[in-house]
Amino acid sequence: MSSDHKILEKIDLYTKGQMNPEERKEFETELEADPQLYRQMELSMVVDQMVIAKETLKLREQMKKDLNKPKSQLGGYLGLGLLTLVAGGALFYYVSKPTDSPNIAAVQQTNIKDTSTVKESAKIQTEDFKAPVNAKPSATNHSNTKILTENTSVEKPAHVQVPEQKDVTVNNKLTTAPVRVETPVVKDEAQIAPKPVTDLCATLQPRVEYSATPSCKGDRTGELRIDVASVKGGTAPYHFVLGGNESSSAHFEYLPSGYFELWIKDAQDCQVLGPKVYIPEKNCKVSQQYIFNPDHDHAWEIPYDKDKRPTRIVIQDKSGRVFYESMVSDFHPSEWRAESSTGQTLVMGLYFFSIEYADGTLQEGSIMITK
Amino acid sequence: MSSKDKNREILDAIANGQNTKVLNHLYETSLPQIIKFINMNDGDEDEAKDIFQDAVVALFTTVRMGKYEAEKDVNGFLFFVSRNLWINRVKKRNKQYDISKVRLPWADDTQSPLAVVITEDKEKLIEKFMSMMGEKCKQLLKYVIYDNMNMKDIAKLMNFASESVAKNAHYRCKQKMMDLVGEDETLNNFLYNELRS
């Protein structure tokens, strides 16, 4: 092997962490002392990364094919899995029902092993479709619930079936064959077999009723009141999250107009995305009227909203002609002496002011200058 | 299986080239969340799938490069990368877009992972460089660097006379590519800044 190749081999061992501590320390000393060697190492790493990236980019082709498959295929696989889960739940329910018939009881008893096998496979199915730990259950619950509804008519019956009574009298023996139940025909969500105990969050419904109070244009006066009684499923009490703010009272204030996402949370910390909430906009003219006599009053104190950050003030007459305009910084200027921007004292009359704030809102009013 | 074990299983599957297994898992666990997020933020399902694909490529690249922090949840990684990719896409489309309007359920920025994202520009550069290499070199580099195959198997597969012949061929190809990258200042600087972490 040439000396160049030996260097590359050493670089490879180093970048892959395959050197022992002594070798590593020695190589790092060489790297520090030799800029050319250091550059070679960097170039080697860049090439490694390019080769890897080239291959991982090929995944796109595979994903494009997978994700553009007709939905029914993917949905069919998911539906089949979920049907098996439902069937497992139905079997559990059916088998644990008390019964008088000794023969059926005997069959049930002898088939406990098979039942538990079915339950186990149903459990595994659940895990396959379970939401990852970091994701809140609601997202998956929402989609799971939807899939359950959409795919109820799919397909292959589940594999679990309880034998009829006549079969029991004829074949009163132990069997190791899988037990089968007939899948109930599910018409809507209400008829779905009881959900596994571990999946409490699945009952929390993403629907809720509310009333919205419009917000003044450019302001945050909108309100949202949620009808808590309309929340279905889950465990009360409920909390709601709107635009990042949480409330247990189901009442949100100081909202601007627009669309918001509303999350419904219950006492078990389950969450589900509710309907998109819309706060309408309305035109509100805030009319503040002031009277100012420059001969008597020192100045007109500008009525800033102290809870906001004003950025500009404009004073104009009723024709829209601007007499005074100023940027505002830290609530300065704090007062106005009825002078125009050029220093002229304004004549008596009605003027209009508007104050702009950093949050985009506008405060408007009028000043009557008297003498 | 605990989620931690499942996470580990997925990362091992990526490292071992079990792409289909990994992808099927991600379609079920990650894709719905990402579609929902993109839909909530003015995107449609096709755009969400695009973003998802880019995020998955970033995941695989990061894992393969040995830069993935094993304790990070894979779905969380994909979500954060998707979120950032979407924000960048929307910003490119509309420079006036106010990012504070992006709706981020449970976004915990302290968990934001390190990711190697292959943008369209990078992809073009990679393609350009790789096209300067011969097919045999490209294949050899892939077997060594991406597939981590040993030289004995590579020698058999590619009909080299021996392991050492295969090894020498590998280093010749690698040196050639290093020289191409090193000589092209524009590409060199871009890749140094973009591909290295």
Side-chain angles (χ1 to χ4, degrees), chain B residues 112-155:
Chain B
S112 190
L114 193 67
V116 181
V117 177
I118 313 295
T119 60
E120 213 176 299
D121 290 339
K122 277 189 222 171
E123 192 179 339
K124 286 179 185 159
L125 283 170
I126 291 167
E127 203 49 59
K128 187 175 175 176
F129 264 136
M130 298 300 278
S131 68
M132 295 180 192
M133 304 290 292
E135 284 309 314
K136 200 161 183 180
C137 264
K138 279 198 280 197
Q139 194 63 41
L140 183 51
L141 289 172
K142 178 196 175 263
Y143 284 149
V144 175
I145 297 169
Y146 184 77
D147 296 321
N148 286 316
M149 285 174 67
N150 63 54
M151 282 301 165
K152 191 175 171 186
D153 292 340
I154 293 173

Side-chain angles (χ1 to χ4, degrees), chain A residues 67-84:
Chain A
L67 296 176
N68 290 328
K69 266 187 207 164
K71 277 185 187 170
S72 59
Q73 276 192 28
L74 267 178
Y77 294 133
L78 289 170
L80 180 61
L82 284 160
L83 265 176
T84 310

Side-chain angles (χ1 to χ4, degrees), chain A residues 102-161:
Chain A
N103 286 332
I104 290 176
V107 171
Q108 284 176 348
Q109 197 160 15
T110 57
N111 282 323
I112 282 171
K113 182 183 165 193
D114 298 319
T115 307
S116 64
T117 307
V118 169
K119 271 165 64 180
E120 194 57 39
S121 66
K123 189 181 168 198
I124 290 167
Q125 290 287 337
T126 313
E127 284 183 358
D128 282 346
F129 292 99
K130 203 171 173 182
V133 168
N134 284 352
K136 298 297 174 181
S138 60
T140 308
N141 284 337
H142 185 59
S143 57
N144 273 348
T145 306
K146 196 174 172 193
I147 287 166
L148 271 169
T149 314
E150 286 175 356
N151 288 291
T152 50
S153 60
V154 172
E155 22 293 286
K156 290 183 184 187
H159 301 306
V160 187
Q161 185 180 46

Side-chain angles (χ1 to χ4, degrees), chain B residues 4 22 25-26 32 40-41 45 65 69 82 86 96 100 102 134-135 149 153 156 165 170 181 185 190 192 194:
Chain B
K4 213 173 174 181
V22 174
H25 172 79
L26 297 178
M40 270 170 18
N41 289 284
E45 193 168 313
M65 284 182 184
E69 296 165 52
S82 298
W86 180 244
Q96 305 299 325
S100 65
V102 173
E135 284 309 314
M149 285 174 67
D153 292 340
K156 265 191 206 162
V165 171
H170 159 63
V181 173
E185 275 304 317
F190 182 89
Y192 266 118
E194 296 292 326

Side-chain angles (χ1 to χ4, degrees), chain B residues 85-116:
Chain B
L85 287 173
W86 180 244
I87 289 172
N88 288 343
R89 186 182 282 209
V90 171
K91 273 167 76 177
K92 262 191 201 167
R93 225 193 268 166
N94 176 9
K95 287 186 173 27
Q96 305 299 325
Y97 190 77
D98 181 358
I99 307 170
S100 65
K101 287 183 184 163
V102 173
R103 293 169 196 154
L104 304 168
W106 314 298
D108 179 3
D109 279 330
T110 62
Q111 298 298 316
S112 190
L114 193 67
V116 181

Side-chain angles (χ1 to χ4, degrees), chain B residues 74-85:
Chain B
V74 163
N75 291 313
F77 176 97
L78 285 175
F79 181 81
F80 280 107
V81 173
S82 298
R83 177 188 79 168
N84 293 338
L85 287 173

Side-chain angles (χ1 to χ4, degrees), chain A residues 1-2 4-6 8-12 16 38-64 66-68 71 74 78 127-136 138-140 142-143 258-261 263 271 273 276, chain B residues 1 3 19-20 23-24 27-29 31-33 36 39-40 45 49-50 52-54 56-57 60-61 64-65 67 73 75-76 103-106 118 123 125-127 129-130 141-142 144-146 148 167-168 170-172 174-175 177-179 181-183 185 188 191-192 195-196:
Chain A
M1 191 188 283
S2 73
D4 285 345
H5 291 179
K6 280 193 179 139
L8 287 182
E9 191 175 18
K10 237 175 161 180
I11 288 172
D12 269 353
K16 287 175 183 164
Y38 192 85
R39 182 171 165 79
Q40 285 287 89
M41 183 197 69
E42 288 188 322
L43 287 170
S44 170
M45 284 171 66
V46 170
V47 167
D48 287 351
Q49 291 167 7
M50 281 171 55
V51 170
I52 290 170
K54 169 84 179 148
E55 292 307 313
T56 55
L57 282 166
K58 290 178 184 173
L59 287 168
R60 281 215 185 109
E61 287 308 312
Q62 186 176 348
M63 284 192 277
K64 275 189 172 61
D66 292 342
L67 296 176
N68 290 328
K71 277 185 187 170
L74 267 178
L78 289 170
E127 284 183 358
D128 282 346
F129 292 99
K130 203 171 173 182
V133 168
N134 284 352
K136 298 297 174 181
S138 60
T140 308
H142 185 59
S143 57
Y259 285 96
F260 296 85
E261 62 182 39
W263 295 87
Q271 303 192 43
L273 178 63
K276 233 177 188 176
Chain B
M1 182 185 281
S3 64
N19 295 344
T20 303
L23 291 178
N24 287 338
Y27 294 150
E28 289 175 19
T29 57
L31 181 58
Q33 284 182 54
K36 191 171 275 182
N39 283 342
M40 270 170 18
E45 193 168 313
K49 285 177 181 174
D50 259 352
F52 170 78
Q53 287 168 43
D54 287 346
V56 168
V57 168
F60 275 69
T61 310
R64 285 281 187 161
M65 284 182 184
K67 292 182 190 309
D73 174 60
N75 291 313
R103 293 169 196 154
L104 304 168
W106 314 298
I118 313 295
E123 192 179 339
L125 283 170
I126 291 167
E127 203 49 59
F129 264 136
M130 298 300 278
L141 289 172
K142 178 196 175 263
V144 175
I145 297 169
Y146 184 77
N148 286 316
K167 200 184 228 179
N168 282 336
H170 159 63
Y171 286 126
R172 264 201 309 277
K174 188 154 188 190
Q175 188 65 62
M177 201 154 169
M178 284 163 61
D179 292 341
V181 173
E183 279 160 16
E185 275 304 317
N188 188 15
L191 288 168
Y192 266 118
L195 274 178
R196 287 176 59 212

